[in-house]
Amino acid sequence: MQKPLAPRATGAADAAPLNGRLVGYGCALLAVTIWGAWIVSTRHAVHGHLPPATIGWLRFIVPATMLAPAWLRVGPWPKRGLVPFLFCFFGAGGIFFLVVANAMRFVPAADVGPLLPGTMPLVVAVISVLVFREWLGTARAVGFICIALGVVTLSGRGLFEPEDGAWRGHLLLLCGATMWAGYTLAFRRTGMKATEVVGLIGLWSVLILTPTGLPGVVTAVREGYGTEVLFQLLMQGLLSGVVALVAFGIAIERLGSSRAAAFTGLVPALAALIAVPVLGEHPDTAAIIGVIGTGVGVALASGAFSRAR
């Protein structure tokens, strides 16, 4: 779920033609729908016939291959910005995927959206305020409070009902959100293009996951689960790893970074809705509060509604 590099000012989006804005809205909806489906497909896979390392290998082999021309220009590791790149790798690469995929073994899909894409902006805000002395406006502050409400609601349920093991998944998801926040903060400091960063992350993720992930692919195909492997290759690698990235980049160009970011607030709700027919998981009251709280919070925290239209 990585964001491209070159955002466009919100004011420029206001002057864009109507057709351009419609394209931006469509691309933003496409990206967040893919991310919502990614949560459900990963949750389904870890409870099926594919271990997390195998799913992770399928997730990164496609961008590593398709973006090879980009990372080959840089080399196997960046000549400058190595430390920021390491933050990006640990925050969005194979290790991050293993943390999140293992979390999905313990929690329903409705919990993943609020605690992963929903919590990440909150972690970024805390680090930005404490480390970079960033000032938050009223609307953004209210947004972060809403996100915190959603997180507390879900985490509190896991603590009061420890027997179902959901608290393990909640802790792993919060850890994943923190890792992803590190990726978000370090991305621009790498000094590389989005395709170069994503390609290198894919390359090194494939290298570390191949010893355990590739044998799982071979075993699954031999046991007759080739269709599931192909589906995960398309869902994880092509759609989530490439299509969503490009679509969200177009949305940023046409709408501006703040308004495009506001659409990420739909991810928790979309994941919960898709999980009902696909996984048979019906969100409880805590999940519904978490989805609403983080959805509203992300939209406000993005700053999309704090600027004059």
Side-chain angles (χ1 to χ4, degrees), residues 24-258:
Y25 292 137
C27 287
L29 288 173
L30 174 62
V32 299
T33 301
I34 291 174
W35 290 333
W38 170 82
I39 291 173
V40 176
S41 67
T42 305
R43 163 80 170 160
H44 172 75
V46 297
H47 283 272
H49 309 287
L50 301 177
T54 297
I55 306 169
W57 189 88
L58 294 171
R59 163 66 178 82
F60 291 105
I61 187 63
V62 175
T65 303
M66 293 187 65
L67 299 178
W71 62 257
L72 282 172
R73 289 196 301 266
V74 179
W77 54 81
K79 304 301 186 295
R80 54 190 178 89
L82 179 59
V83 172
F85 172 74
L86 290 176
F87 273 94
C88 289
F89 172 72
F90 284 106
I95 297 174
F96 163 80
F97 189 93
L98 291 177
V99 169
V100 173
N102 278 286
M104 294 186 191
R105 298 167 57 198
F106 302 102
V107 297
D111 288 15
V112 179
L115 291 176
L116 189 62
T119 305
M120 186 273 291
L122 177 62
V123 179
V124 171
V126 172
I127 296 175
S128 297
V129 171
L130 296 181
V131 178
F132 301 110
R133 304 299 180 184
E134 180 181 339
W135 173 256
L136 302 179
T138 302
R140 296 185 67 197
V142 172
F144 291 125
I145 292 173
C146 291
I147 294 173
L149 173 63
V151 172
V152 169
T153 301
L154 289 171
S155 302
R157 182 192 62 189
L159 292 176
F160 285 114
E161 300 176 1
E163 63 278 359
D164 64 0
W167 62 272
R168 299 183 183 92
H170 292 161
L171 287 178
L172 287 173
L173 288 173
L174 291 174
C175 179
T178 303
M179 296 169 69
W180 192 10
Y183 161 81
T184 303
L185 291 170
F187 190 91
R188 289 183 177 277
R189 291 169 174 80
T190 62
M192 294 187 291
K193 298 178 180 179
T195 51
E196 295 169 346
V197 175
V198 175
L200 277 177
I201 289 175
L203 170 66
W204 285 102
S205 296
V206 168
L207 290 177
I208 67 171
L209 291 174
T210 292
T212 53
L214 183 56
V217 175
V218 176
T219 301
V221 173
R222 285 179 178 175
E223 293 179 352
Y225 301 112
T227 301
E228 185 172 351
V229 170
L230 180 60
F231 172 78
Q232 291 298 331
L233 186 67
L234 294 174
M235 182 70 244
Q236 300 284 342
L238 181 61
L239 293 179
S240 180
V242 179
V243 175
L245 171 68
V246 174
F248 201 74
I250 295 173
I252 289 177
E253 290 180 355
R254 302 301 177 92
L255 303 177
S257 57
S258 293

